[in-house]
Every structure is written in structure tokens, then in C-alpha cells.
Amino acid sequence: MNKQTEEFMSVKSAQASWTEVGKPHPHESAILHVTGEATYTDDIVELQGTLHAALGLSGKAHAKLRSIDLSKVKASVGVVAVYTAADIPGENQCGAIIKDDPVLAEDLVQYVGQPIFVVIADSHDNARRAARLAVIDYEELPAVLTPRAAHAAESYVLPPMHLTRGNPSEAFNTAPHKLKGKFDVGGQEQFYLEGQISYAIPKEGRGMHVYCSTQHPSEMQHHIAEVLHVSSHDVLVECRRMGGGFGGKESQSALWACAAAVAAVRLRRPIKLRADRDDDMIVTGKRHCFAYDYEIGYDDNGRIVAAKIDMVSRAGFSADLSGPVATRAVCHFDNAYYLSDVEIHAMCGKTNTQSNTAFRGFGGPQGAIAIEYIIDEIARNLGKDALDVRRANFYGSSDADGPDARNTTHYGQKVEDNVIQALVSELERTSQYQERRQTIKAFNAGNTILKRGLALTPVKFGISFNVPHLNQAGSLVHVYTDGSVLVNHGGTEMGQGLNTKVAQVVANALGLPLERVRCTATDTSKIANTSATAASTGSDLNGKAAQDAALQIRARLAQVAAERFNTDVSEVRFADGMVSAGTSSTASVTFEELVMQAYLKRVQLWSDGFYSTPKVHWNSKTMNGHPFFYFAYGAAVAEVVIDTLTGEWRLIRADSLYDAGESLNPAIDIGQVEGGFIQGMGWLTTEELWWNKDGKLMTHAPSTYKIPAVSDCPTDFRTQLFKNSNVSDTIHRSKATGEPPLLLPFSVFLAIRDAVSAVGEHRVNPPLRAPATSEAILDAIDAVKAAQLAQ
């Protein structure tokens, strides 16, 4: 703890009656959002001479490019120029980690929708029309389209990962009960409301200013500099806000930024590249779908004594972020359960489809859904309530010690803040879980067509980037002579309320009302070498960095105040826009007046701040370490009803209890929990990605890809924050709310499975795949009925 933080903590109790953190302030741009004033990249007033770009896309999943005839494209109305890979000044690459992802394909295309050329025209529509006029001669090659097919062919974008603890083979052989099975979970389109877009403006010399809808401005700066063959200091990337990101704008905004920048530097004119929704969905990667094969040994109480699982993800044609996604899936296979003897193999299957990428949860949901499905299976085999089996497998007390402590993860990190038992017990009580279980049993006994299901599922989710060096952030805080404050930090605002929380932190540190603090656009010329706003670390990292900067300024102002009041610095208080010392009314001054006095004394009124997360480390070779600073917890109960004749279903009621620690902003956090719940529910129920036999994504528009709508939300939706304080020294002891809530709707999927199981009086494990569409539900019902007849 640095000196400024110590001073801050020492006066915190004295300021207990006044605070700006912990209040349910509205989103800082809420009024701008609803009035339409909020400026997104496409709303920036276009400079004179602005041209528009569109991408020419591959029509084949895997093929060599024999020839490309662009004559009709160039002759199309309004076309100014057409560029291919040969026109890129620098390196034709935008791979996030490995250089295996070209901006524009050269001799080979590896999925339907891969960009081959970029068209520049006088309007967006003219560019799009022209892009479809290319005549391309392909030499088709065999295509691999599914993760299981990739695994069978041993086709991977990265070497397989392996993690073993204990002796799972021996434990499996001696287990009282054994279970073997398969499970498949689909991917998910990010479906951000604002699509991919970049606006590149050439500046003097070799300068390039790119407005980009991106979660990772520094990575965009790096890629643009490489494709233009310039230095990073020649490139400025700016993002005021995004209309949603969900991971889809972490690495994959690079393609759009680089293509726009190349065209801008070639023509020396501003270029806007805005993706049409269909093109966006066809070109960009999604959440990785996973295929699982598992072997589980368990005892009479349902406690798992051995777990062996193979996970194969659909990586797509290039590595992108598939390695870190698979790592997080491995680390989250345990979810909230202790696994004594476990063997995990994770493979990133190379397929001729879009290169899949980050999505809220980043592999964590795909890892945890497998163990929840397995526990659901175990409970049905034993004739037990799944909640009892879950409790039997929960991690033990954080304070326990010795070989039977059951509080160390399979990757070697001790669970130091386990509250899952208490949290689940509270939710069980407040949701009337046991009473409703009996009511549903009676309902199902009296209904042959409609069946109800109920499930309670927990969440334990690790918070931090699992690449340790990414856990750092910077900030700049400026105090102006009128007492107003401007904050710039390295995080990006995508609607999640990051700027609101950071502004609250700074306001609280300086003792100001929130309206006196404003966060400005994320800008690579202000904060350098930033990490992506991802992994639920936005508030943790940037809040701490901004607080560091604000506390430095406050320490300087406190010295000025101490001199003015002829008192010790420790007596100075900052609260509610006033600076005071002691109880005397004469020893008090407005913040603005003190700031002006400091300015006249030539005291520095701005500061930079920095924060790096402590304790995190990871060995990628041994798959062992301490990859997370802390864990966030939660649980949810879902009750559904299904129609066994049509496969239709409805979520009747959902109860969520989430551990946000000492919430910085309860209103925003509850919104994040509810939003994450509905988004995760969509992944597991309605959002189905489907490629045809030729490798073309057929669900590439709202007409064919179904995200949850208002009518899909439960009429009875109860969300509460669990009363807790983070044991780790996070910003004001809060916890992240970005990704973990997406795992809460495991309860919806398993409630549907519970309802299907009722068709067979809970004697058959329904082979329900995810997403549990109406078709999937009917298939599972048919399988249960067939198994019943065979018994």
C-alpha cells in the first residue's frame, strides 16, 4: 500500500457520512443515450473528402485463389480505388497473438467471408454494391467445419493443452459409480448493437488518426502501425464509446481498423469502413463452441472422485485468442467444486470457419457448463436433488488446512474467499427453492403436455487476465482552476458503466460531487500500452489507476490546506466539495478556492496514476499457478415450463444472488447481472449458429439468428447483491460484474433439462444439447421416451 493510499484509508472513517462510491448513480451517458446525443464512431461529423470502404469476401470455405478479376468492381458507380494485399505498405497481418491472420487473403482463402480486397467509393452503398462484382476463380480444397471433425483429423491451431492432478485413472477404476458421456454446446454471436467500424484520417507526415469501435485501442495502434510500416507514435487510436463489445471488439476490430488505415494512407483522404450487419456476422468470429467427452467417477453421495474430460473448441481458421480461451475453460472446469483427481485435455480445433474470438466469459462459461451438466447427470442417476449433489462437491472452507482441506483448485490456487455455501443457502431460502420443488412435482404429476423444471446453479469465477502482464493500467487526472476534474484512463466504455465507476472513484478521492468529474475518450496518445477492456478487469484496473492519480493530487492539495489552516496534513478532510480541518467553520474552504490557491502557489494540479494487480502468476507449460486475484461468486434459480408437443418453453421466474463485494454502483451492477443473465440464457437456448455443407454461415442476420427479446425475459425477475466485502485489496473492496453473471443462466438450461426429464419421471438423463432450441428440446423428449420404452 503506497503512502497516498494509507492517508486515504486513515481518513475514510471520518468521511463515512459522505461518499460517492457505493451510490446507485445513473450511467454517466444515460441522458445522452436516450436523447440520441451520444456520439458513436459513425456519428462523428465526416470531414470533407471522406470516402467509404467495403470488403470483398470469399465465397468458398477453403480454396486457392487462381485469379481475381476486379475490372467490374473498378468500373462500378462511385468507385475511387480497389486495394488487395499487394497494396498494403507493411505487414499483411492482424493476428492477436500469432501472425496467422492476414488482413486481406493473398493466395488462399480459409473460410466463407474472408476478406480478399477492399473497395473505396463515394458512398457506403456504392462501395458495398461494387464489392459484390468481383469475378474470382477458386480451386476448392477439402474443408473441415466442426470441432469433432478437426479433432478426428488432429487439425489444431495450437498444440493441445493438458492438466492433471492426482491419479484420475486409478480413482476412476475404483470409484463406486462411473459415468461416461458426450455433450456439445454451441457458439454465440456477440451481436453488439453498433457494428464494427473504423474511421481513418491521415494527418501530417506519416500520422494517422483512427476513430475505432474497439475494446483494445493499444492493440489497434500496434496493428495499424505494422500494416502501414510506421512507428506506433505515428498512430493515434481514439474511442469515446462503443455500442456494445462483449469481446467481439477486443482483437477483431483490427481487420476493420487496418483496412481503413491502408486505404486512407494510399489515397491521403479520410476513409470510413462500416460493416453491414450481414457482413459483420459473416466475417467476424464468435464465442467458441465446444465438444466434450467425459468420464466421471463418483460415490454414493454424488461426490466426484475422478474426472477426465476432453474439450475441443471450434477455433476457426487462425489462432486469434483461442489459446487463452482454452486456458480459461480449463481453469473453470471446476466451477464451484473441488476436484481431487482430474485430467483435462483442451484442443483448439482448426476449422474452415470464422476465427473465433473473445466473448463475455472468455472460455469460462464453456469450461463450467460441462461440470454442471455432469453433476446434473450424477444427481439423476442417484435419484437425488441436484442441489444436494452440488453441496457435496462444493469447495471447503477457506480456513481449512491439511490434505483434506478441499480448498485448492486443480491448477494450484487456494480458494481464499469461499462464500459459496452461505450464498447458495441464502438463495435457497429467499427463492423458496424447496417449496417450489414440491409444487412443481405436483404440477408435473397432473400434466401430460406441459412440464415444469427447476434448477439452482452456482458460480465461482476467477477475475484477472490469465496472461499476467496484461494486469496493469494507467490514468491521467487533471484538476482545472475552476475545480472541475477531467479523467482519462486506458479502459473503454462499451455501455457497461466503466466511466461512471471511475468517475465515482475519483470524485470520492477528491471529496467532490460526481457531477464535478468527467471521463473523456480513451486515447492512445494519453495513456500508452493499455490492456484490453476485458476479463472483467475494467473497473479493478482503471479504478485503481485513477484513484492513484487522484490521491497524489489530493496529497498536494492537503499540504496547501494544512498551511492555510496552520494544522497537520492528517487533519485535512475532503468531502462534499469542501476541504476542512477540525470542527471550526473558519477552517473550511471550497474545493475550487483551494485549487486556485494551489495554482497560484504553482502546485501541480494534474497527475498520472498506475496500477498492477499483485499476486497473479501463471505457468502455461505446467498449467499451474495463481492466475486470478480473487473469485466472484453467485447463484441463480430458474423455473421453466415446456410444451412437450412443440418444444416451446418459457422462463417463469428467475432469482439471482450475486457477490459484487462492496459494490461501487449497485444500480449498474444489478443491470450487469440482469443483462449477463439474459445474454447467457440466449447462448444456451435460442442463439443457434448454423453453417451449411459448403461452410457458409446461414444465421447471419436478426431474421435467422435469435437473441432474447423482451418477451423472453421472465415476468418475475428477482436480482439481489450478496452482502460481502472482497478479501483482496480491490478498488473499495468491490468485485467485478462483467463476465461472471453470464454463467447464472446455467440454471435455465438445466431447468429445461429437468422439465424434459419429467417426461420420463426423472429416470432417464435427457441428451439435451445447447442451445436448447425447440428442436433440441423435442429431440431430447423423443430420446427420453425411447429410453423409457426400452427399459
Side-chain angles (χ1 to χ4, degrees):
M1 187 180 292
N2 59 35
K3 183 179 180 181
Q4 288 81 18
T5 303
E6 289 177 351
E7 291 174 357
F8 174 69
M9 296 302 292
S10 70
V11 301
K12 186 176 180 181
S13 58
Q15 296 179 206
S17 60
W18 180 91
T19 182
E20 280 298 332
V21 296
K23 290 184 176 180
H25 286 289
H27 192 287
E28 50 93 24
S29 294
I31 294 175
L32 301 179
H33 289 158
V34 298
T35 60
E37 290 185 71
T39 301
Y40 295 88
T41 303
D42 199 31
D43 299 319
I44 296 169
V45 177
E46 294 174 7
L47 297 177
Q48 184 177 3
T50 294
L51 297 172
H52 299 265
L55 299 174
L57 310 178
S58 165
K60 301 296 180 182
H62 193 200
K64 292 180 181 179
L65 297 174
R66 286 190 179 127
S67 65
I68 307 174
D69 183 355
L70 299 174
S71 57
K72 291 183 179 180
V73 180
K74 294 175 181 177
S76 187
V77 175
V79 171
V80 176
V82 182
Y83 298 119
T84 64
D87 298 301
I88 294 176
E91 192 172 7
N92 179 26
Q93 278 293 333
C94 60
I97 299 174
I98 298 173
K99 294 187 176 182
D100 60 351
D101 200 341
V103 177
L104 299 174
E106 298 184 62
D107 303 317
L108 179 73
V109 291
Q110 299 190 69
Y111 73 96
V112 175
Q114 184 169 5
I116 300 173
F117 59 91
V118 57
V119 184
I120 315 302
D122 58 0
S123 73
H124 173 75
D125 287 344
N126 282 341
R128 287 195 68 231
R129 290 190 183 98
R132 282 146 176 78
L133 300 177
V135 178
I136 302 175
D137 184 18
Y138 298 96
E139 179 186 331
E140 289 197 65
L141 301 170
V144 175
L145 301 177
T146 68
R148 291 194 184 275
H151 184 42
E154 296 186 349
S155 173
Y156 309 119
V157 295
L158 295 164
M161 301 176 186
H162 309 287
L163 184 153
T164 302
R165 175 162 78 171
N167 193 333
S169 294
E170 182 179 330
F172 179 79
N173 291 333
T174 59
H177 304 279
K178 298 179 177 63
L179 171 66
K180 294 185 180 182
K182 297 179 181 292
F183 178 48
D184 291 273
V185 62
Q188 185 180 21
E189 163 65 34
Q190 289 86 358
F191 216 95
Y192 25 69
L193 293 183
E194 176 202 30
Q196 298 279 4
I197 181 170
S198 288
Y199 186 26
I201 303 169
K203 297 292 186 178
E204 62 184 22
R206 301 193 301 175
M208 183 65 65
H209 188 163
V210 180
Y211 295 94
C212 183
S213 183
T214 181
Q215 296 172 238
H216 202 342
S218 286
E219 185 174 317
M220 299 310 104
Q221 177 190 39
H222 171 76
H223 286 308
I224 293 166
E226 284 198 330
V227 298
L228 298 185
H229 195 55
V230 298
S231 298
S232 290
H233 67 210
D234 294 315
V235 180
L236 189 161
V237 176
E238 182 176 340
C239 179
R240 176 65 185 93
R241 59 171 59 83
M242 285 168 279
F246 307 115
K249 296 176 181 176
E250 181 174 346
S251 64
Q252 297 215 349
S253 47
L255 167 64
W256 315 89
C258 290
V262 167
V265 81
R266 302 290 295 190
L267 291 170
R268 302 302 301 169
R269 291 176 67 175
I271 303 293
K272 180 184 283 187
L273 175 52
R274 171 169 61 85
D276 175 82
R277 177 65 66 181
D278 292 78
D279 289 349
D280 192 319
M281 292 182 71
I282 287 173
V283 173
T284 61
K286 296 89 177 60
R287 181 189 298 282
H288 295 69
C289 69
F290 270 58
Y292 312 89
D293 292 277
Y294 55 84
E295 296 181 352
I296 306 295
Y298 58 97
D299 65 19
D300 292 341
N301 294 317
R303 177 174 282 189
I304 295 171
V305 296
K308 300 168 72 175
I309 189 166
D310 289 347
M311 306 179 180
V312 188
S313 69
R314 187 202 310 260
F317 81 98
S318 67
D320 195 83
L321 298 172
S322 292
V325 165
T327 300
R328 191 170 279 266
V330 169
C331 289
H332 283 80
F333 173 61
D334 61 327
N335 194 18
Y337 313 113
Y338 178 77
L339 301 174
S340 59
D341 295 79
V342 59
E343 181 179 337
I344 306 173
H345 302 281
M347 284 71 70
C348 303
K350 180 171 183 177
T351 54
N352 295 111
T353 54
Q354 296 82 350
S355 187
N356 283 327
T357 190
F359 195 128
R360 193 176 190 175
F362 201 78
Q366 294 98 311
I369 186 68
I371 197 71
E372 291 299 337
Y373 189 88
I374 288 165
I375 283 184
D376 189 64
E377 198 119 316
I378 291 170
R380 201 167 286 109
N381 288 347
L382 293 174
K384 291 179 176 289
D385 188 319
L387 179 55
D388 294 332
V389 177
R390 289 188 167 92
R391 278 206 170 96
N393 284 282
F394 278 159
Y395 275 100
S397 169
S398 301
D399 298 327
D401 204 358
D404 299 322
R406 294 177 58 85
N407 57 14
T408 302
T409 65
H410 53 296
Y411 47 87
Q413 178 170 342
K414 185 177 180 181
V415 181
E416 298 175 331
D417 58 342
N418 186 11
V419 298
I420 198 66
Q421 291 272 14
L423 189 150
V424 167
S425 293
E426 181 176 330
L427 182 63
E428 180 186 18
R429 175 181 55 80
T430 58
S431 67
Q432 300 91 40
Y433 174 86
Q434 297 296 345
E435 297 90 333
R436 290 163 66 193
R437 176 62 77 192
Q438 296 307 312
T439 302
I440 289 170
K441 183 178 180 180
F443 175 90
N444 288 339
N447 288 270
T448 57
I449 295 175
L450 298 180
K451 296 291 184 182
R452 291 196 175 191
L454 186 72
L456 188 159
T457 57
V459 173
K460 175 183 72 66
F461 197 94
I463 306 297
S464 288
F465 285 101
N466 52 16
V467 179
H469 73 263
L470 298 178
N471 294 287
Q472 58 176 298
S475 178
L476 283 174
V477 174
H478 299 281
V479 177
Y480 295 95
T481 54
D482 67 349
S484 63
V485 180
L486 187 69
V487 181
N488 191 280
H489 58 84
T492 52
E493 175 63 55
M494 61 191 93
Q496 83 279 40
L498 174 60
N499 283 343
T500 308
K501 287 185 173 182
V502 171
Q504 285 180 262
V505 167
V506 171
N508 199 79
L510 295 175
L512 292 174
L514 182 59
E515 61 267 19
R516 299 297 287 159
V517 180
R518 177 174 179 264
C519 288
T520 189
T522 310
D523 180 336
T524 57
S525 69
K526 301 293 192 299
I527 308 296
N529 310 317
T530 60
S531 297
T533 304
S536 304
T537 62
S539 297
D540 285 356
L541 294 177
N542 296 289
K544 276 285 194 179
Q547 184 189 59
D548 179 42
L551 292 178
Q552 292 180 56
I553 297 170
R554 198 184 75 170
R556 297 175 197 138
L557 291 173
Q559 186 63 49
V560 174
E563 293 173 4
R564 174 171 178 155
F565 301 137
N566 192 27
T567 188
D568 190 78
V569 170
S570 63
E571 296 297 317
V572 178
R573 303 285 182 267
F574 291 75
D576 202 17
M578 301 296 294
V579 183
S580 58
T583 58
S584 172
S585 60
T586 58
S588 179
V589 65
T590 65
F591 184 81
E592 293 90 332
E593 185 179 346
L594 181 64
V595 165
M596 179 57 75
Q597 183 180 351
Y599 171 73
L600 295 175
K601 288 178 172 289
R602 295 182 292 179
V603 173
Q604 182 179 332
L605 293 173
W606 63 269
S607 185
D608 63 313
F610 181 77
Y611 175 73
S612 62
T613 310
K615 300 198 304 185
V616 293
H617 58 88
W618 179 249
N619 186 321
S620 58
K621 293 182 179 179
T622 63
M623 301 290 284
N624 193 267
H626 195 291
F628 307 119
F629 187 32
Y630 64 90
F631 295 102
Y633 299 89
V637 176
E639 182 178 348
V640 304
V641 60
I642 66 169
D643 186 323
T644 60
L645 299 181
T646 65
E648 294 175 278
W649 67 279
R650 181 172 294 279
L651 178 59
I652 299 170
R653 175 178 163 183
D655 297 70
S656 295
L657 184 60
Y658 184 76
D659 170 26
E662 299 281 356
S663 174
L664 293 174
N665 187 314
I668 286 177
D669 285 342
I670 287 175
Q672 286 290 291
V673 173
E674 292 178 342
F677 186 99
I678 297 300
Q679 188 173 51
M681 182 182 78
W683 166 49
L684 294 171
T685 59
T686 64
E687 299 182 41
E688 186 171 33
L689 295 167
W690 180 69
W691 288 261
N692 68 12
K693 62 180 178 60
D694 298 318
K696 181 179 180 181
L697 179 67
M698 303 303 290
T699 49
H700 55 77
S703 58
T704 51
Y705 185 82
K706 298 299 183 182
I707 64 172
V710 172
S711 59
D712 297 303
C713 298
T715 53
D716 192 349
F717 198 179
R718 311 182 189 192
T719 302
Q720 297 291 329
L721 299 181
F722 182 68
K723 292 183 179 179
N724 191 26
S725 182
N726 200 342
V727 298
S728 296
D729 182 22
T730 53
I731 185 69
H732 290 282
R733 301 288 173 170
S734 62
K735 287 190 177 185
T737 56
E739 293 173 305
L742 192 133
L743 284 68
L744 295 173
F746 288 178
S747 56
V748 177
F749 177 77
L750 294 175
I752 293 173
R753 196 179 189 213
D754 184 51
V756 173
S757 173
V759 173
E761 299 179 349
H762 302 294
R763 294 194 181 97
V764 178
N765 272 309
L768 183 64
R769 63 184 180 272
T773 60
S774 294
E775 293 86 350
I777 290 171
L778 288 176
D779 287 345
I781 289 171
D782 288 343
V784 168
K785 289 180 177 178
Q788 235 186 339
L789 291 173
Q791 286 179 349

